[in-house]
Amino acid sequence: MIHDLAWAHFPEGISQWENWYYQTFFPKYIQIARKIITVSEASAADLVKTFKAERERIAVSCNAASKGFQPLDAAKQQEVRNRYTSGKPYFLFVGAQHPRKNLVNLMLASLIQHRDYSKPLKDYLKQVKNEEWLQPEEFKVMELLLNDIESDAF
């Protein structure tokens, strides 16, 4: 199962050894495979474009949760929030922490969605800026946003 070709498009996100391995073996595996399974039409098209894989050898099998995963009713949602976040809304991201994941904007979107509009936006940005998971380049983005807001350029 090939999820995507992020390693090929963003080699700076993986180690030198991983990059060597993928560059050396992945094209060979693509050429000798009788069938290639991937998670989306976009990934299938990327395999064709990047590695000249024949589209007819590619099957798409989308990721999906089992039917047991359903939205919770409002009371159960509040129960979960009470248990894990002292009743506050939360944002859950499951994935690798790479700049290409755009985590700063994901966090900003979550904060804005749950924002208490009686508080200034800069307070929310300061909250995000102080998160330990920020990468140096993400931290710089937050600094620029805060500077713009505090100088009324926002």
Side-chain angles (χ1 to χ4, degrees), residues 95-119:
Q97 188 176 336
H98 289 284
R100 66 184 172 83
K101 298 292 186 171
N102 203 6
L103 294 179
V104 169
N105 283 332
L106 286 172
M107 181 62 87
L108 285 172
S110 176
L111 287 171
I112 290 168
Q113 178 184 5
H114 298 292
R115 181 176 172 198
D116 172 357
Y117 283 90
S118 66
K119 296 180 184 176

mmCIF file of all heavy atoms in Angstrom, residues 95-119:
data_model
loop_
_atom_site.group_PDB
_atom_site.id
_atom_site.type_symbol
_atom_site.label_atom_id
_atom_site.label_comp_id
_atom_site.label_asym_id
_atom_site.label_seq_id
_atom_site.Cartn_x
_atom_site.Cartn_y
_atom_site.Cartn_z
ATOM 1 N N GLY A 95 -0.648 12.535 12.943
ATOM 2 C CA GLY A 95 0.203 12.539 11.761
ATOM 3 C C GLY A 95 1.606 12.954 12.122
ATOM 4 O O GLY A 95 1.904 13.277 13.273
ATOM 5 N N ALA A 96 2.449 12.952 11.117
ATOM 6 C CA ALA A 96 3.842 13.350 11.314
ATOM 7 C C ALA A 96 3.933 14.863 11.457
ATOM 8 O O ALA A 96 3.154 15.595 10.857
ATOM 9 C CB ALA A 96 4.681 12.875 10.135
ATOM 10 N N GLN A 97 4.885 15.300 12.237
ATOM 11 C CA GLN A 97 5.086 16.730 12.431
ATOM 12 C C GLN A 97 6.112 17.226 11.420
ATOM 13 O O GLN A 97 7.299 17.285 11.685
ATOM 14 C CB GLN A 97 5.559 16.989 13.854
ATOM 15 C CG GLN A 97 5.613 18.447 14.189
ATOM 16 C CD GLN A 97 6.002 18.670 15.634
ATOM 17 O OE1 GLN A 97 5.816 17.814 16.471
ATOM 18 N NE2 GLN A 97 6.570 19.821 15.907
ATOM 19 N N HIS A 98 5.608 17.558 10.227
ATOM 20 C CA HIS A 98 6.436 18.092 9.155
ATOM 21 C C HIS A 98 5.875 19.447 8.744
ATOM 22 O O HIS A 98 4.655 19.646 8.775
ATOM 23 C CB HIS A 98 6.396 17.177 7.919
ATOM 24 C CG HIS A 98 7.125 15.887 8.092
ATOM 25 N ND1 HIS A 98 8.493 15.794 8.048
ATOM 26 C CD2 HIS A 98 6.659 14.628 8.306
ATOM 27 C CE1 HIS A 98 8.845 14.532 8.228
ATOM 28 N NE2 HIS A 98 7.760 13.813 8.388
ATOM 29 N N PRO A 99 6.725 20.366 8.337
ATOM 30 C CA PRO A 99 6.224 21.662 7.864
ATOM 31 C C PRO A 99 5.165 21.518 6.763
ATOM 32 O O PRO A 99 4.221 22.303 6.705
ATOM 33 C CB PRO A 99 7.476 22.363 7.338
ATOM 34 C CG PRO A 99 8.588 21.774 8.141
ATOM 35 C CD PRO A 99 8.187 20.325 8.354
ATOM 36 N N ARG A 100 5.276 20.505 5.912
ATOM 37 C CA ARG A 100 4.303 20.319 4.831
ATOM 38 C C ARG A 100 2.905 20.001 5.345
ATOM 39 O O ARG A 100 1.931 20.111 4.614
ATOM 40 C CB ARG A 100 4.768 19.237 3.862
ATOM 41 C CG ARG A 100 4.813 17.860 4.454
ATOM 42 C CD ARG A 100 5.392 16.846 3.461
ATOM 43 N NE ARG A 100 5.614 15.578 4.085
ATOM 44 C CZ ARG A 100 4.679 14.643 4.261
ATOM 45 N NH1 ARG A 100 3.461 14.845 3.824
ATOM 46 N NH2 ARG A 100 4.980 13.509 4.855
ATOM 47 N N LYS A 101 2.792 19.623 6.614
ATOM 48 C CA LYS A 101 1.480 19.324 7.206
ATOM 49 C C LYS A 101 0.722 20.593 7.569
ATOM 50 O O LYS A 101 -0.457 20.537 7.897
ATOM 51 C CB LYS A 101 1.628 18.439 8.454
ATOM 52 C CG LYS A 101 2.242 17.086 8.180
ATOM 53 C CD LYS A 101 1.320 16.216 7.373
ATOM 54 C CE LYS A 101 1.902 14.820 7.234
ATOM 55 N NZ LYS A 101 0.995 13.885 6.645
ATOM 56 N N ASN A 102 1.399 21.746 7.548
ATOM 57 C CA ASN A 102 0.736 23.025 7.762
ATOM 58 C C ASN A 102 0.050 23.097 9.127
ATOM 59 O O ASN A 102 -1.084 23.559 9.249
ATOM 60 C CB ASN A 102 -0.257 23.266 6.619
ATOM 61 C CG ASN A 102 -0.578 24.727 6.439
ATOM 62 O OD1 ASN A 102 0.004 25.593 7.084
ATOM 63 N ND2 ASN A 102 -1.517 25.008 5.565
ATOM 64 N N LEU A 103 0.740 22.646 10.166
ATOM 65 C CA LEU A 103 0.141 22.573 11.498
ATOM 66 C C LEU A 103 -0.226 23.929 12.072
ATOM 67 O O LEU A 103 -1.209 24.045 12.808
ATOM 68 C CB LEU A 103 1.077 21.834 12.454
ATOM 69 C CG LEU A 103 1.302 20.365 12.129
ATOM 70 C CD1 LEU A 103 2.261 19.740 13.131
ATOM 71 C CD2 LEU A 103 -0.007 19.609 12.117
ATOM 72 N N VAL A 104 0.538 24.965 11.752
ATOM 73 C CA VAL A 104 0.204 26.293 12.275
ATOM 74 C C VAL A 104 -1.182 26.702 11.807
ATOM 75 O O VAL A 104 -2.023 27.137 12.600
ATOM 76 C CB VAL A 104 1.263 27.350 11.863
ATOM 77 C CG1 VAL A 104 0.776 28.752 12.173
ATOM 78 C CG2 VAL A 104 2.565 27.075 12.592
ATOM 79 N N ASN A 105 -1.454 26.547 10.508
ATOM 80 C CA ASN A 105 -2.777 26.942 10.011
ATOM 81 C C ASN A 105 -3.880 26.016 10.499
ATOM 82 O O ASN A 105 -5.007 26.457 10.713
ATOM 83 C CB ASN A 105 -2.765 27.042 8.489
ATOM 84 C CG ASN A 105 -2.099 28.317 8.023
ATOM 85 O OD1 ASN A 105 -2.100 29.324 8.721
ATOM 86 N ND2 ASN A 105 -1.502 28.285 6.853
ATOM 87 N N LEU A 106 -3.574 24.734 10.688
ATOM 88 C CA LEU A 106 -4.572 23.841 11.275
ATOM 89 C C LEU A 106 -4.935 24.287 12.687
ATOM 90 O O LEU A 106 -6.112 24.337 13.059
ATOM 91 C CB LEU A 106 -4.046 22.400 11.314
ATOM 92 C CG LEU A 106 -4.001 21.649 9.997
ATOM 93 C CD1 LEU A 106 -3.274 20.319 10.176
ATOM 94 C CD2 LEU A 106 -5.398 21.414 9.468
ATOM 95 N N MET A 107 -3.919 24.631 13.478
ATOM 96 C CA MET A 107 -4.171 25.093 14.837
ATOM 97 C C MET A 107 -4.915 26.423 14.840
ATOM 98 O O MET A 107 -5.856 26.619 15.610
ATOM 99 C CB MET A 107 -2.848 25.211 15.599
ATOM 100 C CG MET A 107 -3.019 25.668 17.026
ATOM 101 S SD MET A 107 -3.992 24.545 18.033
ATOM 102 C CE MET A 107 -2.727 23.436 18.574
ATOM 103 N N LEU A 108 -4.512 27.332 13.961
ATOM 104 C CA LEU A 108 -5.211 28.619 13.881
ATOM 105 C C LEU A 108 -6.679 28.430 13.509
ATOM 106 O O LEU A 108 -7.563 29.057 14.092
ATOM 107 C CB LEU A 108 -4.531 29.537 12.866
ATOM 108 C CG LEU A 108 -3.223 30.162 13.306
ATOM 109 C CD1 LEU A 108 -2.562 30.897 12.139
ATOM 110 C CD2 LEU A 108 -3.438 31.102 14.474
ATOM 111 N N ALA A 109 -6.940 27.559 12.551
ATOM 112 C CA ALA A 109 -8.327 27.312 12.147
ATOM 113 C C ALA A 109 -9.135 26.753 13.317
ATOM 114 O O ALA A 109 -10.278 27.165 13.545
ATOM 115 C CB ALA A 109 -8.366 26.339 10.972
ATOM 116 N N SER A 110 -8.546 25.859 14.072
ATOM 117 C CA SER A 110 -9.229 25.303 15.233
ATOM 118 C C SER A 110 -9.496 26.374 16.281
ATOM 119 O O SER A 110 -10.589 26.461 16.841
ATOM 120 C CB SER A 110 -8.403 24.168 15.841
ATOM 121 O OG SER A 110 -9.022 23.689 17.013
ATOM 122 N N LEU A 111 -8.489 27.199 16.541
ATOM 123 C CA LEU A 111 -8.673 28.265 17.532
ATOM 124 C C LEU A 111 -9.746 29.253 17.101
ATOM 125 O O LEU A 111 -10.564 29.689 17.911
ATOM 126 C CB LEU A 111 -7.349 28.989 17.772
ATOM 127 C CG LEU A 111 -6.313 28.217 18.567
ATOM 128 C CD1 LEU A 111 -4.979 28.938 18.538
ATOM 129 C CD2 LEU A 111 -6.775 28.006 19.990
ATOM 130 N N ILE A 112 -9.733 29.613 15.833
ATOM 131 C CA ILE A 112 -10.735 30.561 15.338
ATOM 132 C C ILE A 112 -12.127 29.952 15.410
ATOM 133 O O ILE A 112 -13.091 30.609 15.790
ATOM 134 C CB ILE A 112 -10.367 31.036 13.915
ATOM 135 C CG1 ILE A 112 -9.119 31.932 13.998
ATOM 136 C CG2 ILE A 112 -11.530 31.763 13.257
ATOM 137 C CD1 ILE A 112 -8.481 32.237 12.659
ATOM 138 N N GLN A 113 -12.234 28.668 15.079
ATOM 139 C CA GLN A 113 -13.536 28.000 15.145
ATOM 140 C C GLN A 113 -14.108 28.035 16.559
ATOM 141 O O GLN A 113 -15.303 28.213 16.754
ATOM 142 C CB GLN A 113 -13.411 26.555 14.673
ATOM 143 C CG GLN A 113 -14.729 25.799 14.755
ATOM 144 C CD GLN A 113 -14.566 24.337 14.377
ATOM 145 O OE1 GLN A 113 -13.481 23.853 14.133
ATOM 146 N NE2 GLN A 113 -15.678 23.635 14.334
ATOM 147 N N HIS A 114 -13.250 27.860 17.553
ATOM 148 C CA HIS A 114 -13.706 27.797 18.945
ATOM 149 C C HIS A 114 -13.451 29.092 19.708
ATOM 150 O O HIS A 114 -13.535 29.124 20.918
ATOM 151 C CB HIS A 114 -12.997 26.639 19.663
ATOM 152 C CG HIS A 114 -13.306 25.319 19.061
ATOM 153 N ND1 HIS A 114 -14.550 24.739 19.123
ATOM 154 C CD2 HIS A 114 -12.547 24.460 18.353
ATOM 155 C CE1 HIS A 114 -14.533 23.586 18.497
ATOM 156 N NE2 HIS A 114 -13.333 23.401 18.010
ATOM 157 N N ARG A 115 -13.162 30.131 18.974
ATOM 158 C CA ARG A 115 -12.758 31.390 19.590
ATOM 159 C C ARG A 115 -13.876 32.049 20.382
ATOM 160 O O ARG A 115 -15.021 32.093 19.962
ATOM 161 C CB ARG A 115 -12.284 32.340 18.498
ATOM 162 C CG ARG A 115 -11.815 33.650 19.024
ATOM 163 C CD ARG A 115 -11.264 34.522 17.931
ATOM 164 N NE ARG A 115 -11.016 35.838 18.500
ATOM 165 C CZ ARG A 115 -10.854 36.914 17.791
ATOM 166 N NH1 ARG A 115 -10.897 36.862 16.483
ATOM 167 N NH2 ARG A 115 -10.641 38.067 18.378
ATOM 168 N N ASP A 116 -13.494 32.565 21.522
ATOM 169 C CA ASP A 116 -14.359 33.436 22.315
ATOM 170 C C ASP A 116 -14.075 34.846 21.803
ATOM 171 O O ASP A 116 -13.000 35.404 22.032
ATOM 172 C CB ASP A 116 -13.989 33.303 23.798
ATOM 173 C CG ASP A 116 -14.709 34.313 24.666
ATOM 174 O OD1 ASP A 116 -15.459 35.159 24.134
ATOM 175 O OD2 ASP A 116 -14.503 34.263 25.892
ATOM 176 N N TYR A 117 -15.013 35.423 21.069
ATOM 177 C CA TYR A 117 -14.749 36.690 20.392
ATOM 178 C C TYR A 117 -14.660 37.878 21.348
ATOM 179 O O TYR A 117 -14.399 38.983 20.933
ATOM 180 C CB TYR A 117 -15.783 36.939 19.293
ATOM 181 C CG TYR A 117 -15.477 36.093 18.079
ATOM 182 C CD1 TYR A 117 -16.016 34.826 17.943
ATOM 183 C CD2 TYR A 117 -14.606 36.555 17.106
ATOM 184 C CE1 TYR A 117 -15.690 34.044 16.848
ATOM 185 C CE2 TYR A 117 -14.290 35.782 16.003
ATOM 186 C CZ TYR A 117 -14.840 34.525 15.881
ATOM 187 O OH TYR A 117 -14.521 33.761 14.807
ATOM 188 N N SER A 118 -14.836 37.621 22.653
ATOM 189 C CA SER A 118 -14.629 38.710 23.602
ATOM 190 C C SER A 118 -13.145 38.896 23.902
ATOM 191 O O SER A 118 -12.746 39.879 24.500
ATOM 192 C CB SER A 118 -15.396 38.436 24.908
ATOM 193 O OG SER A 118 -14.856 37.301 25.560
ATOM 194 N N LYS A 119 -12.315 37.945 23.467
ATOM 195 C CA LYS A 119 -10.870 38.040 23.676
ATOM 196 C C LYS A 119 -10.200 38.415 22.360
ATOM 197 O O LYS A 119 -10.608 37.972 21.300
ATOM 198 C CB LYS A 119 -10.309 36.699 24.156
ATOM 199 C CG LYS A 119 -10.819 36.273 25.498
ATOM 200 C CD LYS A 119 -10.220 34.943 25.887
ATOM 201 C CE LYS A 119 -10.804 34.453 27.189
ATOM 202 N NZ LYS A 119 -10.287 33.121 27.528
#
